[in-house]
Amino acid sequence: MMAAGIFVFSAAALLQFFISYCRSLIAASSKQVLSPEVKDVTGIHRIASGEDFKRVMQLLQLCPESPEDRTSVQAIGAYFSLLNFVRFTVARLFPSTRAWTESERGMCAYFAAVALERRISFSRDMLAQQMDS
Amino acid sequence: MPGPVDYLLWALTALCELSVLVCAFARHSFRRYLSLNIYMLGSLLVTILRFWMFLHYGYTSSRYFYFYYYSDALLTIGLYFGLIALYSYVLDELQAGKYVRVTATLLLAGTAAFSYMVVQQSTDRMLTRFVVELSQNLYFVGLILTYLLWGAILKLRETRTRIIHLVLSLGVYFSAFAANYALRNLYPSLHTILGYLPPIIAISLPLAWAHAFWRVPEDARLVPSRLAVVPR
């Protein structure tokens, strides 16, 4: 009984910490403005929507990985899956949750676009270094 | 017998722990977060020593078994003090450092006493049982303390992004371990499957900390109320 209580509390805390951690990663990238080039490539001109996420992630996978953002991209990918799960389960019962998940999914897509921008500049730096050497 | 995945996880863990130290050093944050870095250094040494023990004595040897659980308990105590250091950073302006340290020491002693009471009926390998029990209980106490610290961050409107990242990743780590141990106690038959989780959870902390030291500047700020699951 005690183990069950500990499990429920720990699982709830895990979920809460994980969501807050992902939102802290997203908050850091939400202040960055996308370059016109990335806006064109991703199709995100003003506000990103959840539907953009998959496409931006595919573009992200085409770029060489930079070791710095690997963890955060994976964490946001997991968070996006969690949001999709909520969207198809809880959000069907509670409309306010639906609006929240939509907004969060859009922010995940924006995060991915910022990561894409970073990876493009990382690739350019690598290429420039190779050309120099 | 460990397979290629276990070796990979071992190597990745050591690499991630090393990267935390390198990132902290490169960003001139080694001394500022000394207790966290000392914990990570200890964790790296333990990872290397566990591998050495495994190579010399084998995965199923009693020496490896004892070393694994005793080092795990010591590391958990180390991380507990790392968490207390995070409390000191957050409550710095309230000048409550002394009270935090005294309360933390009392709580640690209380957890040790509770663990002893749980295992005192055992006649064989009591010390080992005590160490395992203490480790499990400390993960849960660590989770409660991290939860309280997160509450304090929201209440005091702490805006230092790096500290927020360090605390949240620690919360994920403690809660994942506490949930894993609780599941093991609930379903002992799942021991083999759940046994794969700790190395994966163990990697998450150094990964998140390396990211916090490398990518998040010391002067970066954010509004913590925006991160709460329930909007404030």
Side-chain angles (χ1 to χ4, degrees):
Chain A
M1 191 65 193
M2 197 169 164
I6 290 175
F7 174 71
V8 170
F9 180 79
S10 307
L14 174 63
L15 199 62
Q16 194 172 357
F17 280 125
F18 178 69
I19 293 174
S20 296
Y21 181 71
C22 291
R23 294 184 87 185
S24 74
L25 293 173
I26 289 170
S29 70
S30 65
K31 292 171 194 161
Q32 290 184 36
V33 180
L34 295 177
S35 67
E37 193 181 17
V38 172
K39 279 182 184 174
D40 282 344
V41 173
T42 57
I44 299 171
H45 289 283
R46 288 184 64 198
I47 299 165
S49 87
E51 308 309 316
D52 298 322
F53 185 79
K54 199 177 169 187
R55 187 162 29 89
V56 180
M57 285 299 274
Q58 281 170 347
L59 289 168
L60 203 56
Q61 278 156 10
L62 293 175
C63 296
E65 267 191 2
S66 79
E68 295 166 20
D69 67 1
R70 194 181 302 153
T71 327
S72 49
V73 169
Q74 281 170 353
I76 298 301
Y79 181 48
F80 189 79
S81 306
L82 178 73
L83 288 168
N84 279 342
F85 175 74
V86 173
R87 189 170 168 237
F88 289 114
T89 52
V90 186
R92 292 197 171 193
L93 300 170
F94 304 101
S96 60
T97 315
R98 189 173 179 84
W100 180 79
T101 45
E102 285 308 322
S103 138
E104 289 294 304
R105 287 171 80 244
M107 279 154 74
C108 287
Y110 195 83
F111 173 89
V114 172
L116 178 68
E117 172 120 34
R118 238 183 263 136
R119 280 195 187 177
I120 290 172
S121 67
F122 175 72
S123 308
R124 279 191 182 143
D125 288 348
M126 275 207 327
L127 192 68
Q129 278 175 5
Q130 280 179 350
M131 299 274 272
D132 286 346
S133 62
Chain B
M1 198 63 193
V5 178
D6 300 279
Y7 285 111
L8 185 72
L9 280 173
W10 229 321
L12 272 177
T13 309
L15 207 64
C16 291
E17 287 162 349
L18 183 66
S19 68
V20 172
L21 298 169
V22 172
C23 290
F25 203 76
R27 296 290 189 221
H28 308 289
S29 301
F30 194 88
R31 282 179 66 186
R32 189 187 292 266
Y33 300 97
L34 190 63
S35 52
L36 301 184
N37 285 308
I38 286 176
Y39 162 77
M40 209 39 87
L41 184 63
S43 190
L44 174 65
L45 289 175
V46 165
T47 307
I48 294 166
L49 282 174
R50 275 180 191 167
F51 190 67
W52 186 86
M53 295 286 279
F54 157 71
L55 282 181
H56 282 77
Y57 302 109
Y59 198 58
T60 48
S61 69
S62 57
R63 286 185 192 196
Y64 180 82
F65 173 84
Y66 285 120
F67 183 76
Y68 181 90
Y69 282 105
Y70 280 71
S71 61
D72 189 52
L74 283 177
L75 281 178
T76 317
I77 294 171
L79 192 55
Y80 178 82
F81 283 109
L83 173 63
I84 300 312
L86 285 171
Y87 261 94
S88 303
Y89 298 134
V90 174
L91 304 178
D92 192 29
E93 284 179 13
L94 299 177
Q95 299 193 329
K98 189 183 161 190
Y99 300 107
V100 168
R101 278 192 291 276
V102 171
T103 314
T105 312
L106 287 175
L107 199 58
L108 182 62
T111 312
F114 176 77
S115 307
Y116 175 75
M117 277 159 59
V118 171
V119 299
Q120 67 174 339
Q121 305 293 332
S122 313
T123 47
D124 62 322
R125 294 194 303 183
M126 201 182 94
L127 186 61
T128 309
R129 282 177 197 274
F130 168 73
V131 165
V132 175
E133 187 68 31
L134 176 68
S135 193
Q136 289 187 20
N137 291 339
L138 271 180
Y139 278 119
F140 189 65
V141 171
L143 162 62
I144 304 270
L145 287 179
T146 316
Y147 202 79
L148 291 175
L149 181 58
W150 177 234
I153 285 175
L154 292 174
K155 194 80 182 163
L156 298 172
R157 295 184 169 83
E158 170 64 63
T159 56
R160 284 173 286 184
T161 311
R162 190 181 272 175
I163 286 187
I164 290 171
H165 275 232
L166 293 172
V167 171
L168 287 174
S169 48
L170 196 57
V172 170
Y173 178 82
F174 273 133
S175 47
F177 262 111
N180 181 52
Y181 274 126
L183 259 186
R184 275 194 195 194
N185 288 330
L186 274 174
Y187 304 105
S189 55
L190 292 177
H191 188 271
T192 347
I193 301 164
L194 294 172
Y196 282 102
L197 283 178
I200 297 167
I201 303 167
I203 281 188
S204 71
L205 189 70
L207 268 177
W209 281 9
H211 177 270
F213 284 128
W214 187 253
R215 292 244 14 125
V216 183
E218 184 58 37
D219 55 355
R221 296 288 184 269
L222 62 85
V223 185
S225 59
R226 285 178 59 189
L227 311 177
V229 179
V230 180
R232 284 169 175 253

